[in-house]
Amino acid sequence: MPGAERQRVESFGHPEDGLEDATPWYQWGPYLSERAWGTVREDYSADGEAWDYFPHDHARSRAYRWGEDGMAGVSDVGQQLCLALALWNGRDPILKERMFGLTGPQGNHGEDVKEYWWFVDALPSHAWLQWRYHYPQSEFPYADLVAENGRRDQSSPEYELLDTGAFDDDRYWVVEVTHAKDDPHDLLMEVRVTNAGPETATLHVLPHLWFRNTWSWDVGAARPTLEATGPRTVGVEHPRFGDLVWELDADPDGEVPDLLFCDNDTNLGRLYGSEDSPAYPKDGINDRVVAGAATVNPDRTGTKAAGWYRLTVAPGATQVVRARLRPPSAAPAFGDPFDEVLARRRSEADEFYGEVVPASVDDDARLVARQAFAGMIWGKQFYCYDVRRWLDGDPTQPAPPPERRRGRNAGWLNVDARDILSMPDPWEYPWFAAWDLAFHTVALAHLDPAFAKYQLLAMCREWFQNPNGALPAYEWDFGDVNPPVHAWAALHVWDIDGRRDTDFLARLMPKLLMNFTWWVNRMDPDGDHLFAGGFLGLDNISAIDRSNLPPGVGRLEQADATSWMAFYSLTMLEMARILAAEDDAWTDIEVKFIEHFVLIVDAMHSQGLWDEEDGFFYDLFHAADGSTTPIKVRSIVGVLPLMGSVALSPELVEALGSLRKRFAGFLGRTGAGPAGGRVFQVPGTDTLAIGVVPPGQGRRVLARVFDEDEFLSPHGLRALSKHHQEHPLWVELAGSSVSVDYEPGESSTGMFGGNSNWRGPVWMPVNYLLVRNLQRYAHSFGPGRAFELEYPTGSGETADLGACAEDLRQRVISLFLRGADGRRPCHGRVDRLQEDPRWRDNITFFEYFHGDDGSGLGATHQTGWTGIVADLICRPDPFAGGATAGPSRPGAAPPG
């Protein structure tokens, strides 16, 4: 696409080049997390209890080792210098420097942020970023939130900030922050504060500038400096960018802000009672503003600085604070030149999204897509974690406890991360997660294909991917197993980017071959082509903890793990087919993956995962005594096999004919025998298709999927059938009785720490995959040939498969759109979120959604994979034809 923004983001660089070689517009961005406390990286305990080792109460006083946090924050690409906002309403016991929330043990449904903020807008070059926050004028109820949620159990709803009365009578501040760039190293920051309350009130606004602490961990490490060079200017000696100047404008009354300085060093006295504590520690500015303490450096120098504004604002009025970070310049910093930059960047953002979001999309869906895309960009975070160094400890610090050598991530010494990665949620999940990230890249590809590719390539580099081929799952346990969706994501990124960059696929393919081999060798120990994998991101979806079976009781063969591997085989097949169009050397790889696929399909049907009586797929438990028990939970686990289908072009069938007779014979089976009709001819064509679920069985599975009393909700597919609401499942396994019932909202199970919710809610990633695969399956039949089904089941109405997929797409999108009643389902029953003009159009992209009414649940800013709704809005059906959907060679199209 043309335009200034496309020119700025045409290249991010390659993972092996290092952050410093990123193109200029990426050198500064929203890379500052909203929570660094309570993370694994900062945990140096013996027991691995990260929440306890570094609590929120320590965050203002304790220097972070691996990364920084802040509100509405930006930093340079190596996170050496950070810029963010702090606020004080005159009543709180601490400055509001970071978002507050409950730890995993404190929340009755696990960790949970207790604030209201939104990512409003963003450009991928970070030349334009907008953020919004609502801050109570009364004392923030920290203790009340902890105490009341602590009194509630898992059967109770969460106690939210709105429930405390903190926003009663509209006594709150609307704080809007805009970052803009005039050039790659000229950063403008505007803070607009509006008094929403009925009376004049005062807000303390403190833009902060500080260096990440890189000097406390090595002997003789250099310490950078910030120093006042005038009444409202701070000189910066940046390690990479040379001299910079931070300039602060006068307030609306012409008053100059106070410049406050301290050091980003731990307050050893407050935390540990040490007398050998810095004179002006990390919380020095906090203590000066809140308590008037002599804890800021009178020489006006340090490694952390703030401009202290005191704004007294009339009811309904707005006041503005401005700051600018740039190389030394004689040009005016503020006034008309500042306004001109903001106006230009806003106009460019409108132009950019005018191209990204199709003109056919209505205004409300356009608003949703734009905010989803903004969240994707704000979710780009600096991620630094050297596991070997973390285990060894730093030479200037006490040695870590020896127990860590046998604990978390000890088998991942190869991980040495210092990168910009897409995070699931910058507060609740401020670290990468492997399968989340794959979904992120599909949305990001609309905005910045280079960055999307970078993410997938980085995960397969040797400083992330284990030498054995495994991909790291997430930092709480890199060794957990996530669904293998990176090849699938790569194909969609390639497709969205115009189907041009086959070099990108070729660079990924060898590392994905390693990962595929790891799955075959590790997750199929019996060699029967049936796979395990544990929870596979679906947490408590089964009757048992699939990641932690008691030793010696038996083993589990998983319908979803096996389906994921069938799907992985298809995506690798598609990738090989694209590459083989330019290089015949890849033809043998094509054959390899179609053979893997067929062997998996055969195993699923011949070894008990398919239940002919129920017409559904189930996990199968093999007890130590040799008996087998199907775990008959009607869950998304049994629906995922629908993902596995592929059309075999005549060219590929001819190539496959050279295989040994056993396999060639399989292709010939179209009815009786083990294949059972899983190979069939697409009507009216000479194309064969093969699938995990052939058309006859597919109809039976889809009858349940499209039943509103089972999987089909008003807003997408439930993770578990509503059938279990009236018919809980009880299973006897290894001498224990376990059960599963339908829970459309927060789960009452303690599995996975009590923050596991796959027993009824609507989850975006699996809905997205099924929508796309149903679309693909429908188009494989050709125009007018897709079979018809009763839709919804029991309604007496019929629709072809493509129309069913389209209705499902619309249901998922409707989670965020205003309905006929003017309410957005994702905002639930909270009237303020639905009706108040200051709240109702600020969209929050939740982790998952209530299975009956669509209200948002879990992490409140999971724009990561929930943000893929923007792709559903902007790309209704990638298989419908046209330049980006047509196959590059017969049968090739990105898997659903």
Side-chain angles (χ1 to χ4, degrees):
M1 295 181 185
E5 182 61 14
R6 286 298 186 194
Q7 296 172 15
R8 287 193 284 260
V9 302
E10 61 185 12
S11 175
F12 184 79
H14 294 300
E16 62 269 24
D17 294 335
L19 291 179
E20 286 72 16
D21 292 321
T23 48
W25 287 94
Y26 294 101
Q27 293 295 332
W28 297 89
Y31 307 139
L32 200 65
S33 181
E34 281 159 343
R35 178 174 64 84
W37 60 273
T39 60
V40 166
R41 282 158 287 163
E42 300 295 336
D43 175 20
Y44 284 78
S45 68
D47 58 11
E49 296 295 334
W51 290 113
D52 295 334
Y53 182 78
F54 202 135
H56 176 265
D57 184 56
H58 285 201
R60 69 183 182 276
S61 306
R62 187 166 156 186
Y64 294 123
R65 171 63 179 89
W66 297 101
E68 292 287 341
D69 59 15
M71 299 197 307
V74 299
S75 78
D76 64 87
V77 75
Q79 200 168 96
Q80 292 173 299
L81 186 64
C82 306
L83 174 62
L85 178 67
L87 303 166
W88 188 50
N89 56 18
R91 295 177 173 86
D92 286 352
I94 58 174
L95 290 184
K96 179 67 70 174
E97 296 181 76
R98 55 190 54 81
M99 297 300 176
F100 172 73
L102 304 181
T103 70
Q106 287 174 335
N108 61 326
H109 297 120
E111 65 266 25
D112 188 30
V113 69
K114 298 298 184 185
E115 304 268 13
Y116 296 104
W117 82 102
W118 301 268
F119 304 123
V120 178
D121 205 9
L123 284 173
S125 67
H126 323 126
W128 174 259
L129 299 165
Q130 286 193 304
W131 176 95
R132 181 183 177 106
Y133 174 55
H134 291 178
Y135 180 39
Q137 294 177 358
S138 59
E139 181 177 340
F140 195 92
Y142 293 104
D144 182 30
L145 287 165
V146 173
E148 179 57 31
N149 279 287
R151 282 191 287 268
R152 300 187 179 197
D153 62 19
Q154 290 178 315
S155 65
S156 303
E158 295 167 0
Y159 183 58
E160 304 292 1
L161 183 55
L162 274 170
D163 299 328
T164 69
F167 292 92
D168 288 356
D169 302 319
D170 289 334
R171 295 180 187 273
Y172 67 94
W173 298 97
V174 177
V175 182
E176 298 170 292
V177 176
T178 299
H179 296 284
K181 298 182 196 177
D182 191 23
D183 66 42
H185 296 284
D186 185 352
L187 282 67
L188 289 67
M189 179 183 188
E190 180 183 79
V191 183
R192 303 178 68 85
V193 297
T194 300
N195 181 359
E199 299 171 353
T200 297
T202 298
L203 179 65
H204 301 249
V205 178
L206 296 98
H208 270 58
L209 184 74
W210 73 98
F211 284 105
R212 178 167 64 92
N213 188 325
T214 57
W215 54 87
S216 292
W217 325 112
D218 290 294
V219 176
R223 176 188 288 262
T225 59
L226 303 171
E227 184 175 5
T229 56
R232 50 187 177 91
T233 58
V234 176
V236 183
E237 296 179 14
H238 193 281
R240 285 191 53 239
F241 301 138
D243 290 341
L244 299 171
V245 179
W246 191 40
E247 303 168 80
L248 296 121
D249 200 5
D251 72 15
D253 295 327
E255 297 293 326
V256 175
D258 292 343
L259 290 180
L260 307 177
F261 292 82
C262 64
D263 284 302
N264 189 13
D265 293 311
T266 298
N267 186 337
L268 299 171
R270 174 179 179 257
L271 297 180
Y272 310 113
S274 172
E275 296 181 0
D276 186 23
S277 190
Y280 313 111
K282 179 179 177 179
D283 53 11
I285 294 171
N286 174 90
D287 293 353
R288 171 68 180 90
V289 173
V290 174
T295 50
V296 295
N297 193 333
D299 295 333
R300 303 209 305 171
T301 185
T303 52
K304 181 178 179 181
W308 184 8
Y309 294 87
R310 306 161 181 84
L311 304 182
T312 300
V313 188
T318 299
Q319 292 193 17
V320 178
V321 165
R322 288 176 163 181
R324 191 164 188 169
L325 178 67
R326 60 178 179 168
S329 173
F334 303 108
D336 290 343
F338 194 103
D339 291 338
E340 190 277 330
V341 174
L342 294 187
R344 176 160 33 99
R345 297 302 182 223
R346 183 189 297 273
S347 176
E348 289 172 355
D350 291 340
E351 176 189 7
F352 176 76
Y353 283 107
E355 297 172 341
V356 169
V357 184
S360 58
V361 174
D362 66 36
D363 289 345
D364 195 35
R366 181 175 298 272
L367 178 146
V368 171
R370 186 158 173 174
Q371 290 190 32
F373 283 136
M376 300 304 308
I377 294 168
W378 277 95
K380 294 157 70 170
Q381 309 277 281
F382 175 74
Y383 187 81
C384 188
Y385 185 22
D386 179 345
V387 171
R388 186 182 296 273
R389 180 69 176 264
W390 178 72
L391 290 170
D392 290 344
D394 297 308
T396 60
Q397 303 295 314
E403 293 89 343
R404 290 157 56 82
R405 290 290 179 182
R406 301 183 300 275
R408 179 176 289 130
N409 296 334
W412 288 81
L413 300 180
N414 66 294
V415 173
D416 183 6
R418 184 176 170 273
D419 223 320
I420 302 299
L421 299 179
S422 180
M423 304 296 178
D425 178 302
W427 192 94
E428 298 205 37
Y429 304 106
W431 23 260
F432 75 89
W435 83 305
D436 301 56
L437 185 143
F439 291 94
H440 303 181
T441 63
V442 176
L444 285 165
H446 289 270
L447 311 172
D448 190 350
F451 183 73
K453 295 172 194 174
Y454 181 97
Q455 298 299 286
L456 295 167
L457 289 167
M459 284 295 102
C460 293
R461 295 298 299 187
E462 58 271 18
W463 50 88
F464 283 110
Q465 186 172 22
N466 196 289
N468 65 19
L471 296 180
Y474 53 97
E475 75 172 32
W476 284 89
D477 185 355
F478 284 146
D480 263 349
V481 184
N482 276 183
V485 288
H486 282 67
W488 162 84
L491 286 167
H492 272 279
V493 169
W494 171 81
D495 182 63
I496 294 167
D497 190 38
R499 294 177 160 242
R500 299 164 296 183
D501 191 359
T502 54
D503 287 345
F504 158 64
L505 299 180
R507 292 185 71 200
L508 268 180
M509 178 63 96
K511 295 301 185 75
L512 293 175
L513 280 167
M514 287 175 56
N515 180 245
F516 187 92
T517 302
W518 175 85
W519 269 89
V520 170
N521 291 339
R522 295 294 184 91
M523 297 294 107
D524 178 21
D526 294 330
D528 58 4
H529 310 293
L530 297 178
F531 292 82
F535 83 106
L536 279 174
L538 307 184
D539 296 5
N540 66 332
I541 200 163
S542 182
I544 56 177
D545 185 342
R546 303 191 300 172
S547 288
N548 296 286
L549 296 178
V553 303
R555 60 186 174 86
L556 189 68
E557 288 175 338
Q558 297 176 210
D560 56 336
T562 307
S563 299
W564 284 121
M565 280 303 289
F567 185 57
Y568 200 0
S569 299
L570 291 185
T571 55
M572 293 293 279
L573 169 65
E574 293 291 352
M575 194 177 291
R577 293 166 79 178
I578 293 164
L579 295 173
E582 299 182 4
D583 184 350
D584 287 342
W586 291 102
T587 301
D588 288 344
I589 301 297
E590 292 185 78
V591 174
K592 167 186 171 62
F593 286 110
I594 191 63
E595 183 171 21
H596 271 292
F597 178 73
V598 168
L599 292 172
I600 292 168
V601 170
D602 205 20
M604 289 189 74
H605 287 263
S606 65
Q607 300 186 45
L609 296 185
W610 170 256
D611 187 296
E612 179 62 29
E613 181 180 351
D614 289 0
F616 209 70
F617 288 91
Y618 298 120
D619 287 351
L620 192 65
F621 180 76
H622 293 258
D625 63 8
S627 62
T628 60
T629 304
I631 303 178
K632 294 192 172 186
V633 182
R634 293 186 195 168
S635 74
I636 208 75
V637 165
V639 180
L640 289 175
L642 292 173
M643 296 188 305
S645 63
V646 65
L648 306 177
S649 66
E651 297 93 334
L652 186 55
V653 172
E654 182 178 353
L656 294 173
S658 64
L659 287 174
R660 57 187 179 272
K661 293 181 179 180
R662 178 186 56 77
F663 186 66
F666 185 99
L667 287 177
R669 293 199 293 264
T670 57
R678 293 190 297 285
V679 180
F680 56 94
Q681 190 167 32
V682 176
T685 74
D686 59 357
T687 299
L688 292 178
I690 184 169
V692 173
V693 185
Q697 292 178 358
R699 285 181 178 274
R700 297 183 67 188
V701 176
L702 287 171
R704 295 197 188 280
V705 171
F706 294 152
D707 188 338
E708 292 176 315
D709 292 326
E710 291 217 31
F711 287 96
L712 185 62
S713 85
H715 307 291
L717 299 180
R718 304 175 176 102
L720 188 132
S721 171
K722 196 173 182 178
H723 167 83
H724 291 302
Q725 186 173 43
E726 300 296 331
H727 305 90
L729 175 72
W730 288 88
V731 182
E732 296 291 332
L733 290 176
S736 298
S737 181
V738 291
S739 69
V740 172
D741 61 0
Y742 173 72
E743 296 179 292
E746 302 286 9
S747 175
S748 62
T749 178
M751 198 182 294
F752 286 87
N755 194 16
S756 304
N757 299 277
W758 284 83
R759 295 189 174 179
V762 171
W763 288 79
M764 183 64 69
V766 289
N767 270 267
Y768 179 89
L769 285 170
L770 290 164
V771 167
R772 292 306 191 209
N773 278 279
L774 290 173
Q775 290 174 330
R776 176 190 171 91
Y777 198 47
H779 285 291
S780 72
F781 287 89
R785 298 191 186 100
F787 60 78
E788 293 200 346
L789 306 99
E790 187 179 31
Y791 187 86
T793 302
S795 68
E797 301 292 328
T798 59
D800 68 37
L801 191 59
C804 298
E806 171 59 16
D807 183 74
L808 183 57
R809 183 184 76 92
Q810 293 288 353
R811 289 182 186 232
V812 173
I813 294 170
S814 74
L815 282 163
F816 307 98
L817 302 178
R818 286 193 191 177
D821 58 359
R823 299 171 73 90
R824 302 184 189 277
C826 64
H827 289 166
R829 298 183 178 88
V830 184
D831 288 341
R832 185 182 286 272
L833 296 177
Q834 298 285 12
E835 299 169 2
D836 191 318
R838 287 195 173 104
W839 297 69
R840 66 187 181 191
D841 289 332
N842 303 316
I843 312 299
T844 307
F845 297 88
F846 290 85
E847 188 177 2
Y848 47 93
F849 303 86
H850 193 282
D852 294 335
D853 62 32
S855 55
L857 300 166
T860 54
H861 288 73
Q862 185 91 354
T863 313
W865 67 14
T866 299
I868 205 172
V869 70
D871 179 75
L872 290 175
I873 292 171
C874 295
R875 202 168 56 129
D877 186 347
F879 311 102
T884 61
S888 58
R889 66 194 299 239

